Amino acid sequence: MTERTVSQELAAEFGLTAEEYGRALAIMGRTPSFTELGIFSVMWSEHCSYKSSKNFLRKLPTTGPQVICGPGENAGVIDIGDGMAAIFKMESHNHPSFIEPYQGAATGVGGILRDVFTMGARPIANLNALRFGSPDHPKTKHLVAGVVAGIGGYGNCVGVPTVGGQCDFHPSYNGNILVNAMTVGIARQDSIFYSAASGPGNPVIYVGAKTGRDGIHGATMASAEFTDDNEEKRPTVQVGDPFTEKLLIEACLELMGMDVIVAIQDMGAAGLTSSAVEMAGKGGLGIELNLDTVPMREQKMSAYEVMLSESQERMLIILKPGSEERARAVFEKWELDFAVIGKVTETGQLVLRMYGKTEADMPIEPLVTQAPLYDRPWVPSPTLPDLGPKDVEARDTIEALKTLIACPDLASKRWIYEQYDHLVMGRTVQKPGGDAAVVGLPDSDKALALVTDCTPRYCQADPKRGGMQAVTETWRNITAVGGTPLAITDNMNFGNPERPEIMGQFALCIEGMAEACIALDYPVVSGNVSLYNETNGKGILPTPSIGGVGILADVNKSMSLAFKAAAETIILIGETKGHLGASLYLREVLGREEGAPPPVDLAAERRNGDFVRGLITSGQITACHDLSDGGLLPGLADMAMAGNVGALILNPTDIPAHGFFFGEDQGRYVLATSAPDAVLAAAKAAGVPALTIGQTGGSQLTVAGANAISVKELTALHEAWLPGYMAS
């Protein structure tokens, strides 16, 4: 990029307000250089500084006996026993994926992998949460194809299984899709690496791929609304190379076994700028870089371009003095670049030299601590009425089931996950398609239960209930496979925070999430905020994606949702009232989007979930599925299709059929058991609502008082929509 005269107009182009530019002038005591202005703009961008969200994020619980490291590092760290830790985070690559879906999604996977292995963890699983626009929108099919290919192309080549995820469609994402990527890794608790610099005089090392001009100002682009010129932003999208990433993982993990690393940080958003500034800032030190020594793949790059490039597969390492050649040998063995590019100093300054000139000499601490912090005004969303069966028209039960099971949100996502290698590493116990993925731990009987989830239409209708439900849904997902939920990572995707109604959605979602996390002892240990998800002033549905991690003490006792045999009793756990507000029945069958989402009773969630987990551990049930989108009957259809076993289903209540079968009441599970008397007695003793609703068997799903439908026909309907849509 050609250097220009620094002015308030240029600062505005870089995303800084007049007040923020004035703050930069005051900190510098002079007009910043072109490179210095670029550094201020990315470090103070929404993406890097959290300037609109930090005040609210502080309300989330982030500690607990299981938490080793909460938010503030590259990823969160929790204790999973036996001296081992799980390290995980979720992050967005929304804007890049809309502009260039393959590379946007691929580099999202690459970036989140680096966040995890930079802390010393070997990645063992990837997950994602995808939101696309209306299937009728002309760009949707192109975006689905590109994003899925990008996730699969990167994850498959790097050799980390993609084991779970979520994919929804809604017109609010027409101009701004969401691509949230999550990685989980494992490490020994005594071998975790952090990013704070220490030791003035210690060498600063650049490793990995060469630096190019891709991704410059990517962090700034991710902190702004889209307009009609999206295509012009294509140069701000990074380009990924999963084969280089695989080499980088192995080289870094090898170096981590040599006791030579002082600190390590991946180069993610804002590239070399953020990694250098954050490492020095956390250590209260300075850093001096000679940019001539940075490995570059393009000619005549400027200091501005080198510092702001978001080229992929790069890391910054601070080494113990005298260990440079041992470290160099490791990276040369893996055919990766290795360069000593600077040193840690005591000055507290970021000093950059290139082509014989000092391109930047600026204080680091204000870049980190004096970033603008906004307490943006917000207003609550309008209160909507709860809707029950009496408020909602009844339709034929089987016809409604057929509509729901084939609709874009509930239709099988096999077309997507079969493009991902979910079996590489050989530890995937439960594959995509269940309530949560289950991944075995090496040399252990233990396993991790992993999931991503969120119901954006709930968050739109009632942000507090929606935020609460997003957390409890992942808690139930993990419980339903037999796991004990331990902690979450979040990815907060919202519109323009300068609009009070959007900030209200954010504030109230956080409030609901915090209440749920506290009630369930399920803290937030990492996360990401993605704001300005709008195009021409039209925002997305508020989407606080939640990534949950739980532990199974015995992988052999993991539970799946599939019916296993005939003549087993089906039991519904949890209270049913027939809540139909903001339900899929209302939207897909009746074409209405209205009403409040179902309330969340946190005490009942915990009681019911702990009870169900106990049944799984003690071997008293053969199948388990938590209920969410679509309610009871689509959940039962899932179980029948997964096991290719039919069932006779009854409604033993006085709730009208459409409320009983399609209400989305929370805190509920469906179980199958060959010991119903014992399960019902245990439920009564625990004060848990439990209701016998049918029996497994045959080849049809038969609903009392309605027609039957064969499991074969259900499966055909369920499987047909997505491949048919992509092929049409």
Side-chain angles (χ1 to χ4, degrees):
M1 177 180 283
T2 304
E3 291 202 7
R4 292 162 55 193
T5 302
V6 172
S7 64
Q8 188 168 311
E9 289 72 28
L10 181 62
E13 286 182 36
F14 281 10
L16 293 171
T17 65
E19 182 187 349
E20 290 166 353
Y21 178 59
R23 183 180 296 204
L25 290 176
I27 288 168
M28 296 297 291
R30 59 174 170 79
T31 301
S33 70
F34 186 77
T35 300
E36 288 168 340
L37 181 67
I39 289 170
F40 272 113
S41 73
V42 292
M43 291 306 299
W44 288 2
S45 68
E46 196 73 63
H47 192 79
C48 292
S49 73
Y50 293 81
K51 58 191 176 186
S52 295
S53 58
K54 195 175 284 186
N55 282 336
F56 296 97
L57 296 174
R58 289 174 176 144
K59 298 176 181 178
L60 294 170
T62 58
T63 59
Q66 70 273 49
V67 178
I68 295 172
C69 176
E73 269 294 339
N74 288 289
V77 186
I78 59 171
D79 183 350
I80 55 173
D82 302 322
M84 299 298 291
I87 300 180
F88 60 99
K89 187 182 181 184
M90 189 192 297
E91 198 160 72
S92 61
H93 235 221
N94 304 334
H95 287 53
S97 298
F98 185 80
I99 297 167
E100 214 305 305
Y102 185 95
Q103 289 296 349
T107 53
V109 173
I112 198 64
L113 281 164
R114 288 193 300 281
D115 277 336
V116 168
F117 76 74
T118 192
M119 297 195 71
R122 177 170 290 281
I124 63 165
N126 289 330
L127 300 93
N128 52 68
L130 311 177
R131 317 280 170 187
F132 295 104
S134 167
D136 299 332
H137 190 273
K139 283 196 77 167
T140 299
K141 193 184 302 183
H142 160 73
L143 292 168
V144 172
V147 165
V148 171
I151 291 170
Y154 205 100
N156 296 353
C157 293
V158 86
V160 177
T162 300
V163 299
Q166 195 182 15
C167 176
D168 293 343
F169 296 82
H170 191 274
S172 75
Y173 305 107
N174 281 349
N176 199 127
I177 64 172
L178 302 185
V179 176
N180 298 168
M182 176 177 171
T183 292
V184 183
I186 53 172
R188 292 202 57 77
Q189 291 180 20
D190 57 6
S191 300
I192 296 168
F193 290 80
Y194 298 97
S195 58
S198 64
N202 283 345
V204 178
I205 312 297
Y206 172 115
V207 299
K210 288 179 169 60
T211 295
R213 290 187 171 95
D214 54 322
I216 292 172
H217 259 300
T220 308
M221 180 268 289
S223 306
E225 285 186 36
F226 277 153
T227 55
D228 292 326
D229 65 352
N230 294 337
E231 293 301 314
E232 296 173 17
K233 295 176 179 172
R234 197 173 292 272
T236 61
V237 178
Q238 311 92 325
V239 178
D241 180 353
F243 299 105
T244 299
E245 182 103 338
K246 173 61 175 171
L247 299 177
L248 190 60
I249 292 172
E250 299 305 329
C252 287
L253 292 178
E254 182 174 334
L255 189 70
M256 287 165 172
M258 295 170 59
D259 192 30
V260 297
I261 296 175
V262 174
I264 182 168
Q265 172 86 23
D266 76 298
M267 294 190 216
L272 185 52
T273 291
S274 64
S275 54
V277 168
E278 288 174 10
M279 291 175 87
K282 287 176 183 175
L285 294 167
I287 200 162
E288 205 170 281
L289 301 179
N290 176 6
L291 300 184
D292 295 318
T293 60
V294 171
M296 290 175 249
R297 67 169 185 259
E298 299 186 44
Q299 299 295 313
K300 297 181 180 177
M301 289 187 71
S302 67
Y304 169 92
E305 290 171 329
V306 170
M307 290 303 293
L308 270 66
S309 166
E310 294 185 11
S311 294
Q312 296 292 286
E313 294 88 41
R314 304 178 301 157
M315 310 285 280
L316 200 64
I317 304 173
I318 296 172
L319 290 178
K320 293 180 179 178
S323 59
E324 294 92 328
E325 293 314 307
R326 290 176 65 203
R328 184 189 301 276
V330 170
F331 284 88
E332 288 182 350
K333 180 183 87 171
W334 290 101
E335 299 181 347
L336 295 165
D337 277 291
F338 177 100
V340 180
I341 66 167
K343 64 181 180 181
V344 178
T345 68
E346 292 179 310
T347 64
Q349 294 286 112
L350 175 67
V351 179
L352 307 175
R353 295 190 176 91
M354 194 174 196
Y355 305 137
K357 288 175 56 183
T358 298
E359 295 283 351
D361 187 348
M362 56 199 306
I364 287 174
E365 189 262 349
L367 287 171
V368 179
T369 64
Q370 292 185 38
L373 187 60
Y374 295 115
D375 197 1
R376 298 206 185 271
W378 63 275
V379 295
S381 300
T383 300
L384 300 176
D386 288 318
L387 300 179
K390 67 180 186 306
D391 308 304
V392 175
E393 181 185 346
R395 291 285 173 86
D396 179 84
T397 301
I398 294 297
E399 289 303 313
L401 173 63
K402 289 163 67 173
T403 298
L404 285 169
I405 213 72
C407 78
D409 280 7
L410 291 190
S412 169
K413 302 306 185 293
R414 185 186 304 276
W415 183 90
I416 293 176
Y417 64 71
E418 285 192 341
Q419 296 185 52
Y420 305 152
D421 188 340
H422 47 265
L423 297 175
V424 65
M425 290 185 166
R427 298 197 199 106
T428 307
V429 178
Q430 285 203 37
K431 301 181 288 188
D435 285 317
V438 178
V439 179
L441 297 176
D443 306 315
S444 173
D445 289 333
K446 292 182 176 180
L448 295 180
L450 312 170
V451 69
T452 61
D453 219 315
C454 178
T455 310
R457 66 182 186 278
Y458 287 2
C459 299
Q460 175 82 3
D462 186 324
K464 184 174 179 180
R465 278 189 191 180
M468 200 179 287
Q469 191 273 344
V471 171
T472 59
E473 172 72 5
T474 66
W475 197 86
R476 282 200 307 274
N477 292 149
I478 291 168
T479 295
V481 299
T484 299
L486 293 177
I488 68 170
T489 182
D490 60 42
N491 203 147
M492 308 294 290
N493 307 274
F494 289 78
N496 185 342
E498 297 164 46
R499 288 167 43 198
E501 64 273 22
I502 300 297
M503 208 64 233
Q505 293 173 347
F506 186 91
L508 290 167
C509 276
I510 289 281
E511 198 174 305
M513 288 166 57
E515 286 187 21
C517 289
I518 291 167
L520 300 173
D521 291 327
Y522 195 36
V524 183
V525 297
S526 60
N528 172 246
V529 176
S530 175
L531 302 176
Y532 295 96
N533 288 290
E534 302 205 352
T535 300
N536 295 329
K538 291 184 179 178
I540 61 164
L541 295 182
T543 311
S545 298
I546 305 295
V549 174
I551 188 80
L552 285 84
D554 185 350
V555 67
N556 299 305
K557 291 186 176 178
S558 78
M559 182 58 58
S560 74
L561 57 81
F563 287 146
K564 308 297 188 299
E568 294 195 332
T569 300
I570 302 169
I571 295 175
L572 173 62
I573 297 293
E575 189 175 17
T576 299
K577 293 183 176 178
H579 283 281
L580 288 165
S583 66
L584 282 185
Y585 175 86
L586 199 63
R587 190 181 84 189
E588 299 294 334
V589 177
L590 300 180
R592 295 162 54 186
E593 290 191 67
E594 59 190 271
V600 177
D601 181 334
L602 293 170
E605 286 280 2
R606 180 151 198 165
R607 179 197 65 208
N608 297 355
D610 289 349
F611 173 73
V612 167
R613 196 180 310 108
L615 293 177
I616 294 171
T617 302
S618 60
Q620 294 183 77
I621 60 176
T622 59
C624 180
H625 189 20
D626 89 294
L627 295 181
S628 53
D629 278 351
L632 174 59
L633 200 52
L636 287 161
D638 288 340
M639 301 174 84
M641 291 186 291
N644 196 28
V645 175
L648 170 65
I649 306 300
L650 307 172
N651 175 6
T653 74
D654 57 5
I655 301 169
H658 63 301
F660 183 71
F661 289 122
F662 304 113
E664 296 184 7
D665 305 75
Q666 298 295 293
R668 299 187 301 159
Y669 303 79
V670 175
L671 318 174
T673 180
S674 56
D677 293 343
V679 170
L680 292 169
K684 186 175 181 180
V688 170
L691 195 62
T692 299
I693 60 167
Q695 189 175 59
T696 63
S699 60
Q700 294 184 314
L701 196 63
T702 304
V703 181
N707 297 325
I709 183 170
S710 72
V711 176
K712 184 177 180 180
E713 183 183 353
L714 268 178
T715 303
L717 288 166
H718 185 55
E719 297 283 349
W721 181 77
L722 188 52
Y725 171 69
M726 295 306 295
S728 65

